[in-house]
Amino acid sequence: MTLGIFFIVLASILVGAVAQRIAGLGFALLIAPFLVIILGPHAGVLLVNICGVVSSAIIVGRVWRDIDWSMFRWLVVPSLFGSVPGSFLAVAVPSAPLSVTVGAVVLVALTISLVLQRSDVVVRGNPPKVVAGFTAGLTNSMAGVGGPAVSAYALLSRWPQRQFAATLQPFFVCIGTVTLVAKLLLDPSQAPVLAPWMWIAIGVVIVAGIFTGEKLARFVRDDQARLFVVVIAFIGAGLAVIKGLADILG
């Protein structure tokens, strides 16, 4: 990886960390499509998983009092069952089709979330939580994005934003860790090859992004943060699909 490309990676990780702190999600949605383009679908998604676990683990300590642990348990257990088959698919599928899949998953999930925002339907009970958790685990392991599934559930269940954003952090830590372990056990060669100083730089940028997001959150409304995440994610996902299709057809 050239120095210029690495700085692009750092910039996208910084923006993702800021969005994660402000909106509670958005890290993977923002950086997954771009890292897939830069690093390839396998290493790109794995780096998304790594950064997602680190950023959410840091945020957990800052939102601990707002976490809904009952909701967390209902989401995280089925997500583990989704992570395993998703990890197998992520390892087995060739690079170009997986690139298309990563972008398409984000595009479909974002579109559904936008449609659901305008819906009057309200879901209740535990089965929708199970479906949301399983889907999040599956899409997180395949495409590095687990947020849209639980975001859609949050919209339909009218889950308050503060508790939603806080509860997602330990949830992302758990499903991200399971996905990482499964993928590295199945195929250790998927791990992104970076110099030690690059890993340190990524860690510093994540911390900087989280604290920057914490400061900016005082001036940004929830709807503004979500709009920002959605626009950038749509652009990145579209580019990932185009690149994958070009590789398949070329």
Side-chain angles (χ1 to χ4, degrees), residues 25 50 58 124 137 156 175 196 224 229:
L25 76 165
I50 294 170
I58 295 172
R124 295 182 176 84
L156 285 176
I175 64 174
Q224 294 173 329
V229 168

Side-chain angles (χ1 to χ4, degrees), residues 21-238:
R21 184 63 187 96
I22 292 175
L25 76 165
F27 192 98
L29 285 173
L30 284 166
I31 73 172
F34 296 106
L35 292 191
V36 164
I37 292 172
I38 294 170
L39 301 177
H42 296 294
V45 170
L46 200 62
L47 185 57
V48 171
N49 293 142
I50 294 170
C51 293
V53 169
V54 173
S55 63
S56 292
I58 295 172
I59 296 173
V60 163
R62 310 188 70 81
V63 297
W64 187 269
R65 289 180 296 180
D66 295 317
I67 297 174
D68 184 337
W69 291 108
S70 174
M71 186 73 77
F72 164 77
R73 288 190 292 271
W74 274 104
L75 290 173
V76 77
V77 173
S79 76
L80 302 181
F81 289 95
S83 295
V84 175
S87 297
F88 275 102
L89 289 173
V91 171
V93 176
S95 294
L98 187 59
S99 182
V100 176
T101 302
V102 169
V105 165
V106 175
L107 287 173
V108 171
L110 285 170
T111 302
I112 291 174
S113 295
L114 288 175
V115 172
L116 291 177
Q117 280 185 330
R118 295 167 175 78
S119 171
D120 294 328
V121 177
V122 178
V123 299
R124 295 182 176 84
N126 294 323
K129 301 175 189 176
V130 173
V131 173
F134 179 86
T135 306
L138 185 68
T139 57
N140 182 73
S141 55
M142 284 185 65
V145 286
V150 288
S151 179
Y153 167 76
L155 291 170
L156 285 176
S157 65
R158 306 299 187 264
W159 192 0
Q161 170 65 22
R162 189 180 184 90
Q163 287 74 26
F164 163 70
T167 306
L168 282 192
Q169 306 317 308
F171 176 72
F172 285 147
V173 170
C174 288
I175 64 174
T177 301
V178 170
T179 297
L180 281 173
V181 171
K183 287 184 178 179
L184 291 175
L185 286 176
L186 290 168
D187 186 5
S189 66
Q190 281 198 14
V193 181
L194 301 176
W197 71 268
M198 290 181 173
W199 287 110
I200 294 172
I202 288 173
V204 171
V205 165
I206 290 174
V207 173
I210 289 171
F211 281 96
T212 301
E214 199 159 284
K215 299 297 183 182
L216 292 176
R218 304 171 186 175
F219 310 102
V220 180
R221 300 195 311 267
D222 288 343
D223 59 334
Q224 294 173 329
R226 289 197 188 101
L227 178 61
F228 171 73
V229 168
V230 167
V231 169
I232 299 297
F234 262 114
I235 295 172

